[in-house]
Amino acid sequence: MWGMKKMQNSREFFRWSFTGALARCAVFVSAIVSLTCCAVTEVPSPVAWWKMDSLDHDGLVPDATGNGHALELGADATVKDDPFLGKALRLEGTRDSWARTVDGISVGSRSVSAWLFREEGVGPLGVDVNKITYLLNNFSGSGVNWPGAGLGIRYLMDGVIAYEGIASARGKWTHYVWTVEVTGVNDGVCTYHHTVYVNGGETVRAASNLTANAANVFNREQRVVVGNISVGGERPVYGMVGDMRLFDTVLTPDEAKELYLGTVHGRPSRTVGFWDMDSLSEN
């Protein structure tokens, strides 16, 4: 009798020990998975960053990097409240709809991150009908525009289209990241690889072995224009631009996604964890 009770106690002890071991193992595995899922995505520091959320005492849009690349504004370019981004640069589609850096910016390989809202109607100059609209120009010899008659948005290097065909939606905010990676320079001609990410990578387009005149593009210091082809130009944006950042490096797919999600979900760019809660793993 005593022997059977001892055996039962031994079984209970073993079961308790085994269950506890499994629980501790599960906690350990969970911690490992959490650490794996929560890898930090750290976005590189930009060379210029316009949050478009305030003006300084001189009426300029400050450069959040501290590098001094503030934006001066045309009469029809103003910082306005926006329900999605909080604040954004409003452009009325006129010749006075522009913003320009107070000094030049020069880079080699590069990336641009920006939010764009295109109005559904036609602006005062009818740009969306018969002219090309410029979101960005003179960023070390490159820029972003879209044809007036279409919806495709494109990146240009030295006036040559690197890629076009990405839809530029109207009446809603869209996030873009464009990257240019220099792959070689020979006899004054640069070869580069171009990639564009839309809304964190839901649409990705890439093109390789593109060329541009090195003297006109790479390490060319120019005053950057936002929202128009030039100061007083006739190719303005009719809509809004938000949180624009210029980089002197090539952003990765994860970094492009972080720039999108960091704004949408109101979290900082350096994130230790994020769960979309839209799917389950096989485990």
Side-chain angles (χ1 to χ4, degrees), residues 166-226:
I166 298 294
S168 175
R170 295 175 183 266
K172 68 177 184 178
W173 283 103
T174 305
H175 184 257
Y176 298 92
V177 169
W178 296 271
T179 70
V180 172
E181 179 184 6
V182 181
T183 56
V185 180
N186 187 28
D187 293 332
V189 177
C190 283
T191 305
Y192 64 94
H193 178 77
H194 170 65
T195 305
V196 56
Y197 305 90
V198 182
N199 289 338
E202 69 179 31
T203 302
V204 178
R205 297 287 187 274
S208 301
N209 299 319
L210 303 168
T211 59
N213 187 320
N216 292 340
V217 177
F218 295 99
N219 299 311
R220 180 183 179 187
E221 187 169 300
Q222 294 179 290
R223 294 177 67 178
V224 178
V225 179
V226 177

Side-chain angles (χ1 to χ4, degrees), residues 68-105:
H69 303 304
L71 290 175
E72 57 183 6
L73 302 179
D76 289 335
T78 54
V79 173
K80 296 286 188 181
D81 291 333
D82 176 74
F84 178 67
L85 292 180
K87 297 277 188 178
L89 181 65
R90 172 72 190 180
L91 298 154
E92 302 297 341
T94 68
R95 291 181 179 84
D96 287 326
S97 298
W98 55 266
R100 183 179 65 173
T101 56
V102 296
D103 59 354
I105 299 178

Side-chain angles (χ1 to χ4, degrees), residues 17-29:
S17 300
F18 183 70
T19 303
L22 283 178
R24 288 191 293 273
C25 182
V27 170
F28 177 75
V29 171

Side-chain angles (χ1 to χ4, degrees), residues 27-62:
V27 170
F28 177 75
V29 171
S30 177
I32 295 297
V33 170
S34 295
L35 289 173
T36 303
C37 293
C38 298
V40 174
T41 300
E42 184 172 335
V43 177
S45 298
V47 296
W49 179 6
W50 304 295
K51 296 182 179 181
M52 309 298 192
D53 61 354
S54 63
L55 300 178
D56 64 17
H57 62 277
D58 293 321
L60 306 176
V61 176

Side-chain angles (χ1 to χ4, degrees), residues 103-178:
D103 59 354
I105 299 178
S106 172
V107 296
S109 293
R110 67 201 66 186
S111 299
V112 177
S113 170
W115 284 90
L116 172 64
F117 183 98
R118 292 181 64 191
E119 292 289 354
E120 294 181 343
V122 177
L125 297 182
V127 175
D128 282 349
V129 175
N130 54 20
K131 293 182 180 178
I132 296 174
T133 298
Y134 272 77
L135 170 66
L136 180 72
N137 201 25
N138 294 341
F139 176 34
S140 195
S142 64
V144 177
N145 70 22
W146 55 89
L151 295 176
I153 196 164
R154 54 200 189 183
Y155 197 93
L156 294 88
M157 297 285 286
D158 191 24
V160 178
I161 299 171
Y163 195 90
E164 65 178 330
I166 298 294
S168 175
R170 295 175 183 266
K172 68 177 184 178
W173 283 103
T174 305
H175 184 257
Y176 298 92
V177 169
W178 296 271

